[in-house]
Amino acid sequence: MEILYRSTRGAEENVPASKAVLNGLAVDGGLFVPQEFPKLTATLEELANMSYQDVAYEVMSKFLTDYTEEELRYCINSAYDEKFDTPAIAPLHAADNAEFIELFHGKTIAFKDMALSILPYLMTTAAKKNDVKNEIVILTATSGDTGKAAMAGFADVPGTRIIVFYPKGGVSPVQEKQMVTQKGENTYVVSIKGNFDDAQTGVKKIFGNRELEKELDAKGFQFSSANSINIGRLVPQAAYYVYAYAQMVKSGEIKAGEKINIVVPTGNFGNILAAYYAKQMGMPFGKFICASNENKVLFDFFATGKYDKKRDFILTTSPSMDILVSSNLERLVYLIGDCDTAATKARMEALSGQGEYEITEEMKAKLADFCGGFASEEEVSATIADIYAKDKYVIDTHTAVAAAAHRKYVAETGDETKTVIASTASPYKFARAVLHAIDAKYDALTDLEQFDALQEVSGVKIPQAIEDIRTAPVRHDRCVEVAEMENAVKEILGL
């Protein structure tokens, strides 16, 4: 069965997967969604005996139907190789009455590697399939992890360039150092004087500029996105939730067909939406607990049915979640709104114009699979300390948001269903905040000393990604006002 894609806002329909991956964003600013959901054909028992790569193929081949088996296996095998420091790719770790799926074993020690290792292969394969002669310019806003993972994926990939915008002062020191030291003749990093929402809005505005699009085309360029708005990011993410379930069946933790809950620390809503997509494929998933930090716009949405971004933007110790406009929520709003593209477009225009929108009671009823949760900065710190004291397991600040939300959910509902928690970053990426939570005595250490201390505390070897930035020279130092983002792109491309 061929799966075709359409824009959530209605301007494009019947788009093959490879074109949706290539374009990233629809011409009307909408996001590409499957016109129907495919079903998994492998049984849960069969999935339990598959490698990560084979599970990824089972999931991705159902969504990316115009890629041949040879093309897709090439993309998967090229992505999930020794770049990851464990053959399991995404191992499970039992702690705190849950299974933590560790999604940070790739090159940049964050979950973005899971999809951004494969996106360059999906995209360059799609370009060949569609006879694209232009150079593809990946334009991306990052709240910390996407930028580095995307650059690591696209560095020196022929026929591509990548430009990343990030909020100056709005990412962790390690995240910033990883980006500004990135190698690759085709990589460019620009900090902006604003927050992540400013960066994301600026990038979307550049995508929507039709005059600039013509100018680019005349010079042999075309834009695409590596953000989670690209369906080529979302589909690979669904695979690791299927894999987690399969591994729990294999270990005897659950019986095939038994329901599990999933908790995801959530910013842009792509990671949790991927789990929801896996459920639509037939996976026996129960509740999706959407965990927010103090920027709890999603928590309020699930509680009230109103999305309201008109609030203070709070800088937290989980910066990848410091987001007030969760772009991927548009895909869910479209689905629960009976796939009404005109209504989805109107809501997104209201968000852009008035800063808010509301869903109907009927739509709210369709959100029964979801439960909002959030954790304050104090709760994040306390959760890191408690899990370390109890299980000698060190988690990062984002994962701690999810673990704290899970604890609250169980306390409030009494739901003891087996649970998978998405562990989205290595604690090394946020060493200062993690060590402070465990013992304030570590505060006096320098950033470099913190890594050595964390190795001692956690018993986990310092990852190569951290060793690499200890001595790496800064290669990118451009900083612009939000209003200058388009000019920065033109300058970089020589327009």
Side-chain angles (χ1 to χ4, degrees), residues 166 188-192 476-480 487-489 491-492:
Y166 75 93
Y188 306 88
V189 184
V190 184
S191 63
I192 63 148
H476 310 273
D477 59 2
R478 193 186 304 240
C479 183
V480 301
N487 285 340
V489 170
E491 205 177 292
I492 286 166

Side-chain angles (χ1 to χ4, degrees), residues 90-103 240-241 243-245 247-249 251-254 260-264 391 393 395 399 402-403 406 417-423:
L92 292 171
H93 185 103
D96 204 39
N97 301 315
E99 291 283 347
F100 288 76
I101 180 166
E102 296 183 342
L103 301 172
Y240 49 71
Y241 292 109
Y243 179 74
Y245 187 95
Q247 289 302 297
M248 288 171 76
V249 171
S251 69
E253 175 79 4
I254 55 172
I260 65 165
N261 291 339
I262 291 174
V263 192
V264 186
D391 296 319
Y393 184 52
I395 56 173
T399 307
H406 176 238
T417 302
K418 298 276 175 64
T419 297
V420 166
I421 295 176
S423 185

